[in-house]
Each structure stands twice: as C-alpha cells, then as structure tokens.
Amino acid sequence: MAALGRQVLRGQRLVPLSWACVARRTPHPPERGRTKQTTASHGGSLEEAFRVGPRNSVQQPGCRTNPVQGLPEKQSTPVDSGSLEPEKVISSLLDMGFSDAHVKDLLSTLPGANLQQLLDIISELILLGLNPEPVCVVLKKSPQLLKLPVVQMKKRSNYLRKLGLGEGKLRRMLHGCPEVFTMRQQDIDDTVKLLKEKCLFTAQQVTEILHRCPSVLQENPSELEYKFQYAYFRMGVKHLDIVRTDFLQYSVNKIKQRHSYLERLGRYQTPDKKGQTQITNPLLKDILRVSESEFLAKTACSSAEEFEVFKKLLAREEEEQEEEEEPESSTSEDKEEQL
C-alpha cells in the first residue's frame, strides 16, 4: 500500500491515495455567487463545522470532481494551513475511513491543531499501514506528533521501513512507544547498535524486539544491556527465547525478584554449559507474563507474605552490595590518579 501511495504521488493524473494531498489540491470555489456560511469558515472551529455536517460542503460550485473518488480533475496551487477550511478537513478524514466518532474524538482532544499539519501527519500514518482507530490512539497519546515537520515524519517513516517495521508491525510499536517519531535519531541508533553488536541479536531478531517490545527504545542502554546479560548468563535464556517471550519488556526489578525467589525455593536452576538442568525449570511465560498472585499460586507455590519478606531481604542485599562496591571503585580511581 505504501509503495502504491508513493507511485501515485509521482503521477499527477493518477488517483492519489494521500488525502493530505487531496486537501492541498482542492481549489477554492469562486467568490461570485457563493452562499454565505453560517457556521465554520476560515475563522470557525472544526467542532462547529462538524455539528453542521461536513458532507454538505464536499461538492463546491466551480470545482469539477471525479465521480468515483470525488477528486478535482485539475491541480491548483496548494492552500496554506491558514486558508484550509474545516469542512474540507472533516470531509477528508471521513473519506480516509474515519468514522464520525473518530472525527469528534480527534477534534475534542486536539483543539487548535494546524489543519494542514493534521492531514499531512495522518496521511503518513495511514501510508505506514495504520487504520483509523490506531491513528486516533497514537495522536491522543502523543499529540506532539502534530508539531513535527512533515519532512522529518517522512524521514523517520523511511528509517522504520528499513528496519522492517512497515505495514502492520508498526501498529503495536506506535501504541507502545509513539515517541519513536519524536525521539532523537541517535538514541534509536544507539539502541539498535547495542542489540546487534553487544547483545548479538540478528537483524531479524532486532526487528521483532522493536515490534514486540518498543519500550526498549526509551530504556537506558546500560540497563538494557544488563537485562540481557541477566537473562543470558544468570537464567540461561537463549536469544530466540528472549525474543519470543518479550523478555526485554519487563523491568529488571520484576525479573530479579521472581527469578531469585524461584531459585532459592529450588524451583529454578541455571542451565550448565550444555544447557541441561537437574530439574525442569518453569516456562518464562509462567514466571513473568502472569500476575503476582498467579505466579505465587501456580509457579512458586508460595504465599504472598513469604514473597513480600523475600523482596525486602533482596532489596537490603542489593543495597549492601552497592555500598561494598563504592569504596572499591573510589580506591581504584585514587590509584589511577596517583599513577
């Protein structure tokens, strides 16, 4: 779909798939004989225009349209955001597949938005494979997307496609991390580089991780690396299982608490070099994907009181360990300064 959209945009006589382009190409009707609008005009609001009914203003006098798509046959000069009429914005959103409820939702949560910018950003999200419902969710969760230059949006979209995150895969990623379009490019590059070079995931596995666990993009790289090392060396979890179980989406605190508790209960054992254990370890999904009550009842076979006591003891042990490591690090720094 995205490829077709780009092909269409290159040809002026083909039917465009980008409705932002439709809005820009829609010429103004001649002033002569134009009836006075009693609702939303240049100075009106989108909410007022929607209450009147946007479909009444789709066909304007003096603008010949294609009977199938309702598109102008001749291209006119683009209209700027200040002169774009609210009725045309609503009409374009409806034509893109947004329901009346979607449009009302967008208007109520994004008041005062730049109309042309709104159509351009929504068009890019549609071309990436998102449906109207996910688009509304993303814009409500991250309204700062509407402040992005369209050029930057297109550039980031192309980058995500190169990572293999085009079409449907982007829906889950944007729902979990809509900031992927607004965060620094260097931060994304650093995360991808860490997963490939330090954690040794394949390019396909990195794509799956970003798709399934988009929150890794917002994590501190050192903490993300530590989480991988804990899974690989302490728990004996292989790369493929880390990807399949969405392991990296869970916090280090939750992972360590549940794994250490099972280990001390004798219900989890780190595999040896051959990947073998003397007991059968529980599945990762039964350790991390379930609620705490289900984890205690079915996996740990323990009480909530015992687990609470253990978590306090574990926190105290970690604090003591950090206190012991601090003097050692300061001593080594003093020796380096003396040298």
Side-chain angles (χ1 to χ4, degrees):
M1 178 179 175
L4 285 173
R6 289 192 295 272
Q7 178 184 359
V8 165
L9 293 176
R10 289 196 293 266
Q12 295 182 359
R13 301 195 62 84
L14 295 178
V15 178
L17 293 182
S18 173
W19 292 99
C21 183
V22 173
R24 288 194 296 270
R25 293 182 181 181
T26 305
H28 288 290
E31 295 296 330
R32 188 188 327 178
R34 185 176 180 178
T35 56
K36 183 178 181 180
Q37 307 250 346
T38 58
T39 56
S41 59
H42 294 292
S45 66
L46 284 171
E47 291 86 347
E48 292 173 346
F50 191 84
R51 284 197 295 268
V52 172
R55 296 189 184 277
N56 295 334
S57 60
V58 174
Q59 289 285 353
Q60 297 282 0
C63 177
R64 299 189 340 178
T65 58
N66 184 306
V68 177
Q69 296 290 342
L71 306 179
E73 292 182 351
K74 294 184 180 181
Q75 181 178 0
S76 63
T77 56
V79 292
D80 56 38
S81 58
S83 63
L84 188 61
E85 294 185 2
E87 296 96 331
K88 293 177 182 177
V89 176
I90 295 173
S91 177
S92 296
L93 291 175
L94 293 172
D95 288 337
M96 273 190 272
F98 289 84
S99 66
D100 292 349
H102 288 149
V103 175
K104 285 183 178 179
D105 199 22
L106 284 173
L107 304 185
S108 61
T109 56
L110 303 171
N114 183 298
L115 304 186
Q116 188 64 63
Q117 182 81 355
L118 178 70
L119 286 179
D120 289 343
I121 296 299
I122 289 178
S123 296
E124 279 301 311
L125 294 175
I126 293 293
L127 286 174
L128 283 171
L130 269 70
N131 294 325
E133 181 69 29
V135 169
C136 292
V137 173
V138 168
L139 291 179
K140 286 172 64 178
K141 190 174 182 180
S142 186
Q144 62 267 29
L145 286 174
L146 295 176
K147 298 179 181 179
L148 279 180
V150 179
V151 175
Q152 180 179 338
M153 184 81 171
K154 291 179 180 291
K155 186 177 179 180
R156 184 60 53 85
S157 298
N158 292 332
Y159 175 81
L160 294 174
R161 288 191 186 97
K162 290 179 180 178
L163 290 177
L165 290 166
E167 302 302 331
K169 284 189 176 181
L170 198 62
R171 181 185 305 176
R172 179 173 176 179
M173 183 180 186
L174 284 177
H175 186 270
C177 183
E179 295 80 7
V180 67
F181 279 103
T182 57
M183 62 190 306
R184 293 192 316 152
Q185 181 68 42
Q186 187 61 45
D187 293 337
I188 302 178
D189 292 339
D190 290 343
T191 301
V192 172
K193 184 178 180 180
L194 183 147
L195 292 173
K196 287 183 178 180
E197 298 183 3
K198 292 189 176 181
C199 302
L200 301 180
F201 287 104
T202 65
Q204 185 177 359
Q205 289 172 340
V206 170
T207 299
E208 282 300 310
I209 290 172
L210 297 179
H211 167 220
R212 301 166 69 99
C213 310
S215 59
V216 299
L217 291 172
Q218 296 177 297
E219 284 196 47
N220 184 293
S222 60
E223 293 180 1
L224 181 60
E225 184 180 4
Y226 174 79
K227 191 188 298 186
F228 165 77
Q229 291 177 347
Y230 189 91
Y232 192 81
F233 295 107
R234 282 285 286 113
M235 299 180 67
V237 184
K238 302 302 180 184
H239 288 77
L240 189 58
D241 291 324
I242 292 176
V243 176
R244 286 176 176 174
T245 59
D246 303 337
F247 185 92
L248 297 178
Q249 74 173 330
Y250 302 105
S251 67
V252 172
N253 195 39
K254 178 179 180 178
I255 294 170
K256 292 179 70 175
Q257 285 178 350
R258 296 194 179 186
H259 166 251
S260 299
Y261 191 55
L262 291 175
E263 198 173 42
R264 297 191 189 186
L265 289 173
R267 297 184 179 277
Y268 194 99
Q269 190 177 76
T270 303
D272 58 22
K273 293 181 179 180
K274 296 181 180 179
Q276 299 176 345
T277 58
Q278 296 178 354
I279 62 173
T280 302
N281 287 334
L283 299 175
L284 286 176
K285 67 181 183 66
D286 295 329
I287 300 175
L288 300 172
R289 196 175 295 176
V290 295
S291 63
E292 184 173 301
S293 59
E294 188 174 350
F295 163 74
L296 292 172
K298 297 182 178 180
T299 309
C301 300
S302 179
S303 66
E305 292 76 13
E306 291 174 324
F307 189 44
E308 286 301 319
V309 171
F310 170 78
K311 286 192 285 187
K312 292 178 181 178
L313 291 174
L314 183 62
R316 187 180 304 172
E317 289 176 4
E318 291 178 347
E319 289 178 1
E320 292 175 354
Q321 185 177 358
E322 290 177 358
E323 290 175 357
E324 291 176 0
E325 291 175 353
E326 285 180 359
E328 293 178 1
S329 61
S330 60
T331 303
S332 60
E333 289 178 358
D334 292 341
K335 289 181 179 180
E336 289 179 359
E337 289 179 358
Q338 292 176 0
L339 292 175

